[in-house]
Amino acid sequence: MLKKIWLSPPHMGGNEEAYVKEAFDTNWIAPLGPNVQQFEKSIEDFVGNNTHAACLSSGTSAIHLGLELLGVSEGDEVICQSFTFSASANPITYLGASPIFVDSEEDTWNISPILLEEAIKDRMAHGKKPKAIVAVHLYGMPYKVDEVHEVARNYDIPVIEDSAEALGSSYRGFNCGSFGDVGILSFNGNKIITTSGGGALLCKDQKTKEKAVFLATQARDDAPHYQHSHIGYNYRMSNVLAGIGRGQMEVLKDRVAARRHNFQYYKEHLSNLTDITFINEPEGSYSNRWLTCILTPSFKVRENLRTALEKENIESRPLWKPMHLQPVFEKNASFVNGVSEDLFERGLCLPSGSSLEIDDLERICEIIKNELK
Ligand SMILES: Cc1ncc(COP(=O)(O)O)c(C=O)c1O
């Protein structure tokens, strides 16, 4: 049996078990406790820019709470990058609001500032000013922060910065996660660091963080008995899983270096194949290269490569299918230019785990080269 190569498997650093054991030894088997506090502090120290982090059960729950804290409610419209994973858009619907999808630009594959402004103007002309914007640093590549936030500021619309895939990426020297009115991270099993499942809401001040934690712990009023004046959620991260996160934060920089090395290796060994192209970092952008993505000349070539790798027990994936093409969102308004549809047709994510060895990378490149011969 050929060795299985996964797209993006978890990669433990070594100290995770000790922190988990600490939770067991001290009986902090609860959705709060010292590991949660320490994990939050290490995220805040890393992201910087006066970030206040609330650790939650997932990135999806962080987007849900972020939208609620920004005042999104029933009947509202929220602009969302179309080229993303469904979790960027789904929480908009949890609140009874509707996502309006905006396509990407070609430099970063993220939300186009030009189409964003068009979408805002159009919705305002229909008497529906969007309540928020969900912008995504897809595959770890920062979106055009200056341009997107300028449009948002001009129309006074808050931004949820979806950094689920971009911990360790930065833009003009500031870390991703620190730009939005709120930001979110994911620690799902396939992310650059993981707690098996988990996420964080990144807030601009302590008061907003406290409000998020209040909502995430069933919105209990301050009383000796159980009293509730708001609808709450059970969204807090467990102290056991936060132990994994503490250990993972200690190796985050190594994980970014390893993923960037994967990208460099693929680029060096594949870019002489005229059929394959890569996305470069625009000036001022630093990507964690969460997943290395290639563009092939056609859907057919992309599928040939994917199935050739599959036959050799190697996992690869087409790029995200845009939300405006998803059956579940077919009735939602969208502002499109063909960019994300083309990326979906021709793009493939290659194995990108930080534990990949040179032999693995060599094996993958050989298969791709043979297929394109
Ligand atoms: C862009 C993006 N947004 C949001 C999420 C949701 O994160 P989670 O899986 O932790 O709920 C993910 C990942 O899963 C993602 O890739």
Side-chain angles (χ1 to χ4, degrees), residues 57-63 83-89 91 134 136-139 162-166 184-191 196-200 290 320:
S57 53
S58 66
T60 310
S61 57
I63 296 177
F83 191 45
T84 187
F85 179 50
S86 63
S88 304
V134 180
V136 189
H137 306 295
L138 212 63
Y139 299 116
D162 183 341
S163 288
E165 302 175 1
I184 75 103
L185 299 174
S186 167
F187 308 115
N188 190 26
N190 62 358
K191 295 300 184 289
S196 80
W290 172 56
W320 298 121

Side-chain angles (χ1 to χ4, degrees), residues 327-342:
V328 70
F329 292 125
E330 68 186 1
K331 295 202 177 76
N332 292 64
S334 59
F335 294 80
V336 297
N337 54 13
V339 170
S340 63
E341 189 166 348
D342 179 52

Side-chain angles (χ1 to χ4, degrees), residues 176-243:
C176 288
S178 69
F179 297 108
D181 293 86
V182 294
I184 75 103
L185 299 174
S186 167
F187 308 115
N188 190 26
N190 62 358
K191 295 300 184 289
I192 193 150
I193 62 164
T194 182
T195 56
S196 80
L201 185 70
L202 306 176
C203 308
K204 289 275 159 255
D205 53 68
Q206 183 62 18
K207 223 172 124 199
T208 310
K209 170 182 167 171
E210 281 165 14
K211 211 163 163 196
V213 171
F214 166 76
L215 291 172
T217 48
Q218 305 290 20
R220 268 187 75 183
D221 293 340
D222 193 11
H225 54 277
Y226 285 90
Q227 170 137 329
H228 305 272
S229 317
H230 290 270
I231 297 294
Y233 309 95
N234 185 2
Y235 276 174
R236 198 69 162 126
M237 179 179 279
S238 113
N239 193 55
V240 178
L241 298 189

